[in-house]
Amino acid sequence: ETGVTQTPRHLVMGMTNKKSLKCEQHLGHNAMYWYKQSAKKPLELMFVYSLEERVENNSVPSRFSPECPNSSHLFLHLHTLQPEDSALYLCASSPQGRAEAFFGQGTRLTVV
Amino acid sequence: QKEVEQDPGPLSVPEGAIVSLNCTYSNSAFQYFMWYRQYSRKGPELLMYTYSSGNKEDGRFTAQVDKSSKYISLFIRDSQPSDSATYLCAMTFNTNAGKSTFGDGTTLTVKP
């Protein structure tokens, strides 16, 4: 148990569906992140929230929409995804002023 | 050219062997260096964290940073089957985990 919990662990969705990924951390961290991990590719940073404000968006398609209602919760809303969006989506958090990240277990997403 | 190049592997060793995992990088501004371990179907977990050049030891693990050569290594002594995982190097130039650049990962299998 890392202190960062992601739900669901697995998700299969059609290209016309709308779904949301949830992340929760109880580590007292004030920065949270969404990463995408595809086979044979390095981790790709998607979104960064610091003190609940989005501070970075690495040119992610608009079919991915993040939401950070408070410092403990992070969501990734998904709509009209493509099969190439199938991947492991990882949430992470970090304390202020630290370089290391603490990851959740990930959501394995399959788009059919 | 990638900013961070990691030995691709996969790597297979007998139990008890000394393992060396390596990354090179091109950005001399990197100051913080991390190693993450990722078991199959899990999120990455922080294994080692070092700042600037030098060695850091934690049990059977030693992280080594050579900034002059832009080269980092993770050594595992007396490797165990439970060390079988994918190892990711990561580095950043400031205390902002969201700015980390990750290697592709090296998959290690330790055979009993």
Side-chain angles (χ1 to χ4, degrees):
Chain A
E1 178 57 55
T2 66
V4 180
T5 304
Q6 289 186 243
T7 53
R9 293 292 308 278
H10 301 274
L11 178 62
V12 179
M13 60 186 287
M15 289 190 285
T16 58
N17 291 160
K18 288 185 179 181
K19 296 286 183 183
S20 296
L21 310 184
K22 180 182 176 182
C23 177
E24 190 172 349
Q25 61 98 0
H26 297 290
L27 299 170
H29 295 167
N30 53 21
M32 296 186 78
Y33 315 88
W34 281 115
Y35 284 90
K36 177 183 178 182
Q37 188 175 38
S38 304
K40 311 231 185 281
K41 292 175 72 174
L43 281 170
E44 300 173 52
L45 180 64
M46 299 176 73
F47 299 103
V48 178
Y49 275 85
S50 178
L51 299 171
E52 300 157 43
E53 282 190 35
R54 191 164 77 191
V55 299
E56 193 159 334
N57 172 354
N58 288 341
S59 302
V60 177
S62 59
R63 56 186 184 270
F64 295 92
S65 174
E67 178 189 1
C68 187
N70 55 59
S71 60
S72 299
H73 294 86
L74 186 65
F75 295 89
L76 187 63
H77 303 299
L78 316 171
H79 66 97
T80 58
L81 295 192
Q82 304 298 311
E84 60 265 27
D85 296 322
S86 299
L88 182 67
Y89 288 84
L90 291 159
C91 173
S93 68
S94 67
Q96 185 72 27
R98 299 288 295 187
E100 66 272 36
F102 295 80
F103 288 86
Q105 303 283 46
T107 295
R108 174 67 61 186
L109 174 67
T110 303
V111 181
V112 297
Chain B
Q1 184 186 0
K2 293 180 181 176
E3 260 193 310
V4 177
E5 297 275 2
Q6 184 166 0
D7 286 353
L11 197 57
S12 180
V13 301
E15 184 174 354
I18 296 174
V19 176
S20 172
L21 303 167
N22 308 295
C23 288
T24 57
Y25 61 95
S26 56
N27 190 342
S28 58
F30 286 136
Q31 297 280 353
Y32 300 86
F33 303 90
M34 284 74 68
W35 285 96
Y36 292 86
R37 177 175 62 194
Q38 186 173 19
Y39 290 115
S40 181
R41 299 186 181 85
K42 303 279 190 180
E45 59 176 323
L46 182 69
L47 199 57
M48 299 287 281
Y49 168 78
T50 52
Y51 169 69
S52 199
S53 284
N55 292 358
K56 184 174 183 178
E57 190 173 318
D58 184 1
R60 296 184 295 108
F61 299 89
T62 300
Q64 194 172 80
V65 175
D66 182 349
K67 290 192 68 183
S68 62
S69 302
K70 299 192 185 71
Y71 190 89
I72 70 170
S73 298
L74 178 70
F75 297 97
I76 307 174
R77 291 185 300 280
D78 187 26
S79 55
Q80 302 294 309
S82 58
D83 295 327
S84 298
T86 296
Y87 290 81
L88 305 168
C89 65
M91 48 200 78
T92 180
F93 44 79
N94 62 19
T95 53
N96 182 341
K99 294 289 187 185
S100 294
T101 302
F102 286 81
D104 289 1
T106 301
T107 298
L108 169 69
T109 301
V110 181
K111 296 186 175 180

mmCIF file of all heavy atoms in Angstrom, chain A residues 11-32:
data_model
loop_
_atom_site.group_PDB
_atom_site.id
_atom_site.type_symbol
_atom_site.label_atom_id
_atom_site.label_comp_id
_atom_site.label_asym_id
_atom_site.label_seq_id
_atom_site.Cartn_x
_atom_site.Cartn_y
_atom_site.Cartn_z
ATOM 1 N N LEU A 11 -10.350 -1.118 -16.590
ATOM 2 C CA LEU A 11 -11.495 -0.490 -17.229
ATOM 3 C C LEU A 11 -11.458 -0.798 -18.720
ATOM 4 O O LEU A 11 -10.437 -0.594 -19.373
ATOM 5 C CB LEU A 11 -11.458 1.026 -17.007
ATOM 6 C CG LEU A 11 -12.575 1.851 -17.646
ATOM 7 C CD1 LEU A 11 -13.924 1.441 -17.085
ATOM 8 C CD2 LEU A 11 -12.343 3.339 -17.418
ATOM 9 N N VAL A 12 -12.583 -1.297 -19.225
ATOM 10 C CA VAL A 12 -12.747 -1.499 -20.658
ATOM 11 C C VAL A 12 -13.879 -0.572 -21.098
ATOM 12 O O VAL A 12 -14.956 -0.584 -20.501
ATOM 13 C CB VAL A 12 -13.100 -2.964 -20.997
ATOM 14 C CG1 VAL A 12 -13.293 -3.131 -22.505
ATOM 15 C CG2 VAL A 12 -12.013 -3.911 -20.495
ATOM 16 N N MET A 13 -13.615 0.236 -22.089
ATOM 17 C CA MET A 13 -14.652 1.151 -22.542
ATOM 18 C C MET A 13 -14.670 1.270 -24.064
ATOM 19 O O MET A 13 -13.632 1.120 -24.720
ATOM 20 C CB MET A 13 -14.500 2.534 -21.904
ATOM 21 C CG MET A 13 -13.199 3.238 -22.182
ATOM 22 S SD MET A 13 -13.041 4.783 -21.246
ATOM 23 C CE MET A 13 -14.187 5.864 -22.099
ATOM 24 N N GLY A 14 -15.859 1.526 -24.579
ATOM 25 C CA GLY A 14 -16.007 1.754 -26.004
ATOM 26 C C GLY A 14 -15.624 3.175 -26.350
ATOM 27 O O GLY A 14 -15.511 4.047 -25.471
ATOM 28 N N MET A 15 -15.418 3.418 -27.613
ATOM 29 C CA MET A 15 -14.944 4.729 -28.051
ATOM 30 C C MET A 15 -15.969 5.829 -27.831
ATOM 31 O O MET A 15 -15.614 7.006 -27.786
ATOM 32 C CB MET A 15 -14.516 4.655 -29.523
ATOM 33 C CG MET A 15 -13.225 3.869 -29.723
ATOM 34 S SD MET A 15 -12.565 4.014 -31.388
ATOM 35 C CE MET A 15 -13.669 2.951 -32.285
ATOM 36 N N THR A 16 -17.241 5.467 -27.654
ATOM 37 C CA THR A 16 -18.258 6.503 -27.450
ATOM 38 C C THR A 16 -18.617 6.692 -25.971
ATOM 39 O O THR A 16 -19.437 7.535 -25.635
ATOM 40 C CB THR A 16 -19.536 6.163 -28.236
ATOM 41 O OG1 THR A 16 -20.010 4.876 -27.801
ATOM 42 C CG2 THR A 16 -19.250 6.121 -29.732
ATOM 43 N N ASN A 17 -17.990 5.895 -25.101
ATOM 44 C CA ASN A 17 -18.325 5.975 -23.675
ATOM 45 C C ASN A 17 -17.697 7.196 -23.001
ATOM 46 O O ASN A 17 -16.745 7.801 -23.520
ATOM 47 C CB ASN A 17 -17.820 4.723 -22.944
ATOM 48 C CG ASN A 17 -18.580 3.467 -23.320
ATOM 49 O OD1 ASN A 17 -18.090 2.365 -23.133
ATOM 50 N ND2 ASN A 17 -19.784 3.624 -23.846
ATOM 51 N N LYS A 18 -18.242 7.500 -21.819
ATOM 52 C CA LYS A 18 -17.623 8.473 -20.922
ATOM 53 C C LYS A 18 -17.384 7.767 -19.598
ATOM 54 O O LYS A 18 -18.303 7.157 -19.052
ATOM 55 C CB LYS A 18 -18.557 9.664 -20.683
ATOM 56 C CG LYS A 18 -18.722 10.605 -21.840
ATOM 57 C CD LYS A 18 -19.582 11.799 -21.428
ATOM 58 C CE LYS A 18 -19.754 12.774 -22.578
ATOM 59 N NZ LYS A 18 -20.566 13.950 -22.169
ATOM 60 N N LYS A 19 -16.178 7.872 -19.102
ATOM 61 C CA LYS A 19 -15.837 7.257 -17.824
ATOM 62 C C LYS A 19 -14.884 8.186 -17.073
ATOM 63 O O LYS A 19 -14.313 9.120 -17.653
ATOM 64 C CB LYS A 19 -15.134 5.898 -18.036
ATOM 65 C CG LYS A 19 -15.982 4.829 -18.693
ATOM 66 C CD LYS A 19 -17.013 4.282 -17.741
ATOM 67 C CE LYS A 19 -17.800 3.155 -18.402
ATOM 68 N NZ LYS A 19 -18.878 2.649 -17.523
ATOM 69 N N SER A 20 -14.692 7.902 -15.805
ATOM 70 C CA SER A 20 -13.756 8.688 -15.001
ATOM 71 C C SER A 20 -12.856 7.782 -14.183
ATOM 72 O O SER A 20 -13.298 6.756 -13.659
ATOM 73 C CB SER A 20 -14.525 9.624 -14.054
ATOM 74 O OG SER A 20 -15.257 10.571 -14.771
ATOM 75 N N LEU A 21 -11.597 8.175 -14.083
ATOM 76 C CA LEU A 21 -10.641 7.517 -13.204
ATOM 77 C C LEU A 21 -10.512 8.358 -11.942
ATOM 78 O O LEU A 21 -10.516 9.593 -11.999
ATOM 79 C CB LEU A 21 -9.278 7.383 -13.879
ATOM 80 C CG LEU A 21 -9.246 6.785 -15.284
ATOM 81 C CD1 LEU A 21 -7.796 6.636 -15.748
ATOM 82 C CD2 LEU A 21 -9.988 5.483 -15.353
ATOM 83 N N LYS A 22 -10.359 7.660 -10.813
ATOM 84 C CA LYS A 22 -10.277 8.360 -9.538
ATOM 85 C C LYS A 22 -8.956 8.058 -8.846
ATOM 86 O O LYS A 22 -8.444 6.941 -8.916
ATOM 87 C CB LYS A 22 -11.427 7.936 -8.641
ATOM 88 C CG LYS A 22 -11.446 8.603 -7.273
ATOM 89 C CD LYS A 22 -12.585 8.083 -6.420
ATOM 90 C CE LYS A 22 -12.547 8.668 -5.015
ATOM 91 N NZ LYS A 22 -13.624 8.126 -4.166
ATOM 92 N N CYS A 23 -8.416 9.056 -8.190
ATOM 93 C CA CYS A 23 -7.191 8.892 -7.416
ATOM 94 C C CYS A 23 -7.371 9.596 -6.075
ATOM 95 O O CYS A 23 -7.926 10.694 -6.007
ATOM 96 C CB CYS A 23 -6.020 9.494 -8.174
ATOM 97 S SG CYS A 23 -4.450 9.443 -7.283
ATOM 98 N N GLU A 24 -6.881 8.951 -5.036
ATOM 99 C CA GLU A 24 -6.997 9.508 -3.691
ATOM 100 C C GLU A 24 -5.671 9.313 -2.956
ATOM 101 O O GLU A 24 -5.085 8.239 -3.004
ATOM 102 C CB GLU A 24 -8.127 8.774 -2.959
ATOM 103 C CG GLU A 24 -8.558 9.362 -1.655
ATOM 104 C CD GLU A 24 -9.816 8.673 -1.113
ATOM 105 O OE1 GLU A 24 -10.456 7.896 -1.864
ATOM 106 O OE2 GLU A 24 -10.142 8.908 0.049
ATOM 107 N N GLN A 25 -5.198 10.355 -2.304
ATOM 108 C CA GLN A 25 -3.964 10.199 -1.512
ATOM 109 C C GLN A 25 -4.178 10.760 -0.110
ATOM 110 O O GLN A 25 -4.819 11.802 0.069
ATOM 111 C CB GLN A 25 -2.765 10.872 -2.206
ATOM 112 C CG GLN A 25 -2.876 12.360 -2.437
ATOM 113 C CD GLN A 25 -2.184 13.215 -1.402
ATOM 114 O OE1 GLN A 25 -1.577 12.706 -0.450
ATOM 115 N NE2 GLN A 25 -2.284 14.521 -1.557
ATOM 116 N N HIS A 26 -3.628 10.043 0.850
ATOM 117 C CA HIS A 26 -3.735 10.438 2.260
ATOM 118 C C HIS A 26 -2.345 10.616 2.848
ATOM 119 O O HIS A 26 -2.099 10.257 4.000
ATOM 120 C CB HIS A 26 -4.538 9.384 3.025
ATOM 121 C CG HIS A 26 -5.942 9.257 2.529
ATOM 122 N ND1 HIS A 26 -6.895 10.230 2.723
ATOM 123 C CD2 HIS A 26 -6.558 8.287 1.806
ATOM 124 C CE1 HIS A 26 -8.032 9.857 2.160
ATOM 125 N NE2 HIS A 26 -7.859 8.689 1.596
ATOM 126 N N LEU A 27 -1.443 11.163 2.040
ATOM 127 C CA LEU A 27 -0.066 11.361 2.469
ATOM 128 C C LEU A 27 0.211 12.806 2.854
ATOM 129 O O LEU A 27 1.334 13.136 3.226
ATOM 130 C CB LEU A 27 0.885 10.926 1.343
ATOM 131 C CG LEU A 27 0.769 9.451 0.938
ATOM 132 C CD1 LEU A 27 1.558 9.183 -0.344
ATOM 133 C CD2 LEU A 27 1.257 8.549 2.064
ATOM 134 N N GLY A 28 -0.799 13.659 2.692
ATOM 135 C CA GLY A 28 -0.600 15.069 2.986
ATOM 136 C C GLY A 28 0.185 15.803 1.925
ATOM 137 O O GLY A 28 0.685 16.904 2.180
ATOM 138 N N HIS A 29 0.307 15.208 0.753
ATOM 139 C CA HIS A 29 1.046 15.852 -0.330
ATOM 140 C C HIS A 29 0.187 16.940 -0.979
ATOM 141 O O HIS A 29 -1.043 16.862 -0.972
ATOM 142 C CB HIS A 29 1.454 14.820 -1.384
ATOM 143 C CG HIS A 29 2.416 13.807 -0.869
ATOM 144 N ND1 HIS A 29 2.718 12.641 -1.565
ATOM 145 C CD2 HIS A 29 3.168 13.767 0.248
ATOM 146 C CE1 HIS A 29 3.599 11.947 -0.872
ATOM 147 N NE2 HIS A 29 3.889 12.603 0.237
ATOM 148 N N ASN A 30 0.851 17.927 -1.568
ATOM 149 C CA ASN A 30 0.066 18.992 -2.187
ATOM 150 C C ASN A 30 0.290 19.106 -3.686
ATOM 151 O O ASN A 30 -0.115 20.093 -4.302
ATOM 152 C CB ASN A 30 0.341 20.339 -1.499
ATOM 153 C CG ASN A 30 1.816 20.640 -1.439
ATOM 154 O OD1 ASN A 30 2.596 20.088 -2.195
ATOM 155 N ND2 ASN A 30 2.204 21.515 -0.520
ATOM 156 N N ALA A 31 0.919 18.116 -4.286
ATOM 157 C CA ALA A 31 1.033 18.059 -5.747
ATOM 158 C C ALA A 31 0.575 16.678 -6.200
ATOM 159 O O ALA A 31 0.918 15.660 -5.577
ATOM 160 C CB ALA A 31 2.469 18.313 -6.188
ATOM 161 N N MET A 32 -0.206 16.652 -7.266
ATOM 162 C CA MET A 32 -0.700 15.380 -7.799
ATOM 163 C C MET A 32 -0.546 15.388 -9.303
ATOM 164 O O MET A 32 -0.570 16.437 -9.962
ATOM 165 C CB MET A 32 -2.164 15.155 -7.406
ATOM 166 C CG MET A 32 -2.352 15.007 -5.899
ATOM 167 S SD MET A 32 -4.030 14.574 -5.420
ATOM 168 C CE MET A 32 -4.064 12.808 -5.806
#
